[in-house]
Amino acid sequence: MEPVKTTLPAYPEKATLEGRNKVIGFWLFLGGEVVLFGSLFATFIALRQAFHTGPTGEELFDLRLIALATGILLTSSMTSVMAIVGMHRNDVKSLRTWMSVTIFLGLCFLGLEIYEFTHYTSMGHKMSSSPFGSAFYTLVGTHGAHVIGGVIWMILLVARLPKTGLTVVTAPKFYLASLYWHFVDLIWVFVFTVVYLMGKVG
Amino acid sequence: MYLLAGGFFFLLGGLEALLIRIQLMYPDLDIFVGGTFNQLLTMHGTTMIFFAAMPIIFALLNAIVPLQIGARDVAFPFINALGLWLFFLGGVILNASWFLGAGAPEAGWTAYAPLSTPAFSHMGVDFYVLGLQVAGIGTWLGGINFLVTIINMRAPGLTFMRLPMFTWTAFVTSALVLFAFPAITVNLILLMFDRLFGGAFFNADMGGNVVIWQHLFWIFGHPEVYILILPAFGIVSDVISTFSKKRLFGHSAMVFATVLIGFLGFMVWAHHMFTVGMGPIANSLFALATMLIAVPTGIKIFNWLFTMWGGQVRINTASLWSIGFIPTFLIGGMTGVMLGVAPADFQYQDTYFVIAHFHYTIVGGMVFGLFSGMYYWWPKMFGKMLNEKLGKWNFWTFFIGFNLTFFPQHFLGLMGMPRRVFTFLPNAGLEMGNFVSTIGAFGMTLSILIFLLNIVITNRSEQTVPADPWDGRTLEWTIPSPAPEYNFAQTPLVRGLDALWVEKMEGNGQISYAEPLGRIHMPSPSVLPFLMAIGLTFAAFGFIYHTWFVAATGLIFTFVLMSIRSVKDDPGYYIEVEDIDEGVKV
């Protein structure tokens, strides 16, 4: 059942004090996440040549697969923007559709990553095989865990949308989920560069 | 709650310290030797920093920051409760190690790899890793909460440059928490993977790098010491200004000094690593940055002195602690500059000189500041005044005991006594200093007992306290003592620095309000934060004992609760106008 169209303020996510608190709090949360990933990247860079007896990045990585995953994830960033544009027009249907597309793309990315990890472990690239292996799975895995978290969050929000409708209470949640998704995508750009490109070329 | 739990852990850490000092009272004693001594000193350091100092600071931030900015509550009450339970259960996990047959962690509070890797330590370190992880998440959430509260919920007219100093330091401290804690989170994850899943981060045989631990630890750890000391600076500023009956000298300079200290706090972590072998260039840069911190800190010291100069200084327990703070912290700061000289540091490295230095800053600085704050705000928090007579005994026994304990340690260090060892030989010239030091530790113990007695006596007394017992200057003194659950019946209107003092000078008798009296919206109480923290605690024990089923159940339980929280909205409830206490006349 489609909820009745009500008049929403122009920026519903920032219309209430609670909403504004959430938005600022979430930006700060992301600030902390930057340090988290920064530390992981620093660790990875320090250990990226420590292959021990395990396989090297050059032997492992297939850039075609990674390029596909990157394309999927960056596209999903755009679709989540479309969802928020829809929300600002108070268009619940557009919000739901584009959010669902974003979720779908997120799941595709996860599928590729699971395939990638199982493929690597079969080639002898494990957490315990070398410091490079430990650092690789910790960094890329932490990013993957963030993707899973984002997908579950968006699924919950979209599933509840018919019941809750779009209000000044729910709008901040969609806005933040979209913000989070952009952040996760942004981190992937660095993963792509530092882990895969530098591992293959550098 | 924070105060109670933090106080409990403080006593625990203090007891561990006393046992350490008893062992070192005479040469060649064998009461606590070897592994037991290592466990004691590891737990003393870890408990004091993470589970005593942090929560007591958070207790004051929670109680006072909303009052000083004219807010009804913090921005996220739910997250506040979650943070509290995570911190508390983290402490429980850590201390459970004493009782579960595993033995407490023993790798030092810094848990340097490879000492903390499975090759060189037993299960105790698992409790360290997971206890700190759970508590760290809680602290980090608390930091975000205070930042948002201060940014978004200030009363009308309360611009940033009009914020009381304590709130300013709370703001910078929270920013440090936000950016420092993720570094240790990552570090603990790396160590956990090494210990539980066969990771090779710190396994030098395979090409791992143990210095990563030190870098990440101090990228967190150095800002952490400013997280501890900045709120003390804020308390001292507020207390000295109130009891000198003058506005704080150079308020804006103090603000810039605070921000600068916060910033430089992140630039100097490697001064803990001069002897690691980073090379002369890196050592010089970090030495330079370290010594720069003396500049804003010096500005602060002079501003406190200038505030008292020409003021009508009232001496009571609260102001005694603040005034005692100045020389003791100054000594700690000066030895800090000495340690910042990289070549000289090779000499001081790992001796009692370092111990003396950081106890002069953390005890002589932070603990003095916290005591000052407790005597100052006790009436606002609990509606009763702590006994002044016992308070002065409390101060003097602590002041004397503290200096007896730690002043000789400077010389012990210069004479070559290394830290972290459980005994020393007779006739090495170290007997006198160690003996005096242990006597001092008993002095501080006596002082803490007096403080506990004071709390009990105060709690029993029937006295009531006016809203403004100290002739205060800031917003927290405009509301009844103890503060009602909604803090401010009406949001105040701020018209200058030291908002209440401005109104007093104009003879208004009370603060003006920004809104008419109306019903007040309150959040509903919720059991979810507690359950979430329980879930994570279960998961932590699952990891410690390698029972993945328990770990997974705990994590899933927490995530399900998070999902429930994220889709369910809290409508809260209202306090009606007739139930609200009208504003107070001061």
Side-chain angles (χ1 to χ4, degrees), chain B residues 51-62:
Chain B
F51 299 104
M54 292 294 296
I56 295 177
I57 286 171
F58 266 45
L60 285 180
L61 297 194
N62 250 315

Side-chain angles (χ1 to χ4, degrees), chain A residues 6-9 11-23 84 87 90 95 153 157 160-161 163-177, chain B residues 76 521 564-572 574:
Chain A
T6 48
T7 47
L8 271 183
Y11 291 97
E13 71 274 8
K14 291 175 189 162
T16 60
L17 177 63
E18 282 77 18
R20 284 196 298 277
N21 281 348
K22 277 185 186 172
V23 172
I84 296 305
M87 185 182 91
N90 196 10
L95 170 64
W153 187 12
L157 289 179
R160 292 270 302 177
L161 186 58
K163 208 170 163 195
T164 56
L166 186 57
T167 64
V168 290
V169 179
T170 53
K173 298 181 181 180
F174 284 101
Y175 184 79
L176 295 184
Chain B
F76 308 111
H521 183 231
I564 292 177
R565 166 67 188 173
S566 119
V567 293
K568 229 184 94 215
D569 296 312
D570 171 21
Y574 285 92

Side-chain angles (χ1 to χ4, degrees), chain A:
Chain A
M1 193 182 75
E2 201 74 8
V4 200
K5 273 208 171 184
T6 48
T7 47
L8 271 183
Y11 291 97
E13 71 274 8
K14 291 175 189 162
T16 60
L17 177 63
E18 282 77 18
R20 284 196 298 277
N21 281 348
K22 277 185 186 172
V23 172
I24 290 186
F26 203 80
W27 273 105
L28 295 170
F29 167 84
L30 293 182
E33 291 265 277
V34 168
V35 180
L36 185 102
F37 277 105
S39 306
L40 287 172
F41 274 110
T43 308
F44 179 82
I45 289 170
L47 299 174
R48 57 185 277 266
Q49 303 290 355
F51 302 116
H52 193 52
T53 55
T56 66
E58 212 175 340
E59 292 160 22
L60 288 168
F61 302 144
D62 176 4
L63 280 187
R64 284 166 304 171
L65 182 82
I66 305 304
L68 178 64
T70 308
I72 290 174
L73 207 58
L74 293 187
T75 312
S76 76
S77 221
M78 190 187 72
T79 56
S80 80
V81 172
M82 304 296 283
I84 296 305
V85 170
M87 185 182 91
H88 282 158
R89 280 187 284 123
N90 196 10
D91 183 347
V92 178
K93 207 173 140 209
S94 155
L95 170 64
R96 197 171 56 195
T97 314
W98 285 114
M99 240 2 179
S100 307
V101 175
T102 311
I103 293 168
F104 173 73
L105 292 173
L107 288 171
C108 291
F109 174 85
L110 278 174
L112 282 180
E113 188 151 85
I114 290 167
Y115 164 75
E116 191 197 348
F117 278 15
T118 45
H119 181 61
Y120 290 162
T121 43
S122 73
M123 290 169 77
H125 179 52
K126 298 196 183 81
M127 169 74 89
S128 53
S129 60
S130 66
F132 162 66
S134 312
F136 172 84
Y137 285 111
T138 309
L139 172 60
V140 182
T142 306
H143 176 267
H146 277 71
V147 175
I148 295 176
V151 167
I152 294 177
W153 187 12
M154 289 191 289
I155 289 176
L156 281 169
L157 289 179
V158 172
R160 292 270 302 177
L161 186 58
K163 208 170 163 195
T164 56
L166 186 57
T167 64
V168 290
V169 179
T170 53
K173 298 181 181 180
F174 284 101
Y175 184 79
L176 295 184
S178 159
L179 204 58
Y180 179 77
W181 197 250
H182 289 317
F183 174 77
V184 171
D185 289 359
L186 179 69
I187 294 294
W188 179 258
V189 174
F190 286 94
V191 173
F192 177 71
T193 313
V194 173
V195 178
Y196 294 101
L197 278 185
M198 281 167 64
K200 197 75 182 171
V201 186

Side-chain angles (χ1 to χ4, degrees), chain B residues 296-585:
Chain B
T297 316
I299 291 174
K300 280 181 172 279
I301 301 264
F302 280 114
N303 280 349
W304 290 319
L305 296 177
F306 286 139
T307 306
M308 287 191 282
W309 189 339
Q312 303 167 28
V313 182
R314 268 178 294 162
I315 298 291
N316 55 27
T317 312
S319 62
L320 265 182
W321 282 107
S322 276
I323 295 167
F325 163 98
I326 296 175
T328 48
F329 186 75
L330 193 61
I331 293 173
M334 289 190 303
T335 53
V337 178
M338 291 169 75
L339 287 165
V341 182
D345 184 71
F346 279 77
Q347 200 62 34
Y348 306 133
Q349 159 88 0
D350 274 343
T351 69
Y352 262 71
F353 190 81
V354 179
I355 306 283
H357 157 67
F358 71 71
H359 281 90
Y360 259 88
T361 55
I362 297 179
V363 182
M366 186 201 66
V367 175
F368 276 50
L370 286 181
F371 266 118
S372 184
M374 277 199 278
Y375 278 92
Y376 182 55
W377 282 308
W378 200 270
K380 189 53 65 188
M381 292 191 284
F382 300 104
K384 285 171 185 173
M385 301 271 259
L386 285 168
N387 185 305
E388 274 292 309
K389 197 164 198 168
L390 282 172
K392 285 185 178 144
W393 274 98
N394 178 205
F395 171 76
W396 285 111
T397 46
F398 198 90
F399 188 78
I400 294 167
F402 163 76
N403 283 297
L404 274 183
T405 308
F406 295 110
F407 202 74
Q409 293 186 0
H410 290 114
F411 301 104
L412 289 174
L414 292 177
M415 287 188 286
M417 180 167 163
R419 68 192 284 196
R420 301 190 180 108
V421 292
F422 58 78
T423 194
F424 54 97
L425 292 173
N427 301 320
L430 301 177
E431 291 101 325
M432 184 66 177
N434 273 299
F435 183 74
V436 171
S437 185
T438 303
I439 297 299
F442 279 107
M444 284 195 280
T445 312
L446 175 69
S447 169
I448 298 300
L449 292 177
I450 296 174
F451 181 63
L452 292 178
L453 179 71
N454 198 346
I455 294 177
V456 172
I457 289 180
T458 303
N459 208 22
R460 283 219 187 133
S461 74
E462 307 246 313
Q463 54 162 326
T464 50
V465 179
D468 181 19
W470 307 118
D471 196 11
R473 314 173 66 83
T474 41
L475 283 180
E476 72 266 33
W477 307 111
T478 63
I479 54 170
S481 310
E485 57 170 335
Y486 45 81
N487 291 349
F488 292 86
Q490 292 162 276
T491 304
L493 181 69
V494 175
R495 303 195 299 150
L497 179 69
D498 290 348
L500 178 58
W501 197 255
V502 170
E503 306 292 342
K504 280 179 181 172
M505 285 300 97
E506 295 192 357
N508 292 341
Q510 69 171 63
I511 198 93
S512 30
Y513 297 111
E515 60 168 25
L517 197 63
R519 60 182 197 160
I520 296 171
H521 183 231
M522 300 290 289
S524 337
S526 168
V527 73
L528 283 182
F530 177 65
L531 292 179
M532 280 183 191
I534 289 281
L536 279 187
T537 308
F538 257 89
F541 276 110
F543 281 120
I544 290 171
Y545 286 100
H546 300 226
T547 26
W548 310 129
F549 168 72
V550 179
T553 316
L555 284 179
I556 290 169
F557 181 65
T558 304
F559 284 128
V560 168
L561 290 174
M562 277 168 71
S563 312
I564 292 177
R565 166 67 188 173
S566 119
V567 293
K568 229 184 94 215
D569 296 312
D570 171 21
Y573 65 96
Y574 285 92
I575 298 176
E576 296 301 331
V577 177
E578 51 270 26
D579 298 329
I580 298 174
D581 247 353
E582 291 278 346
V584 196
K585 303 263 183 272

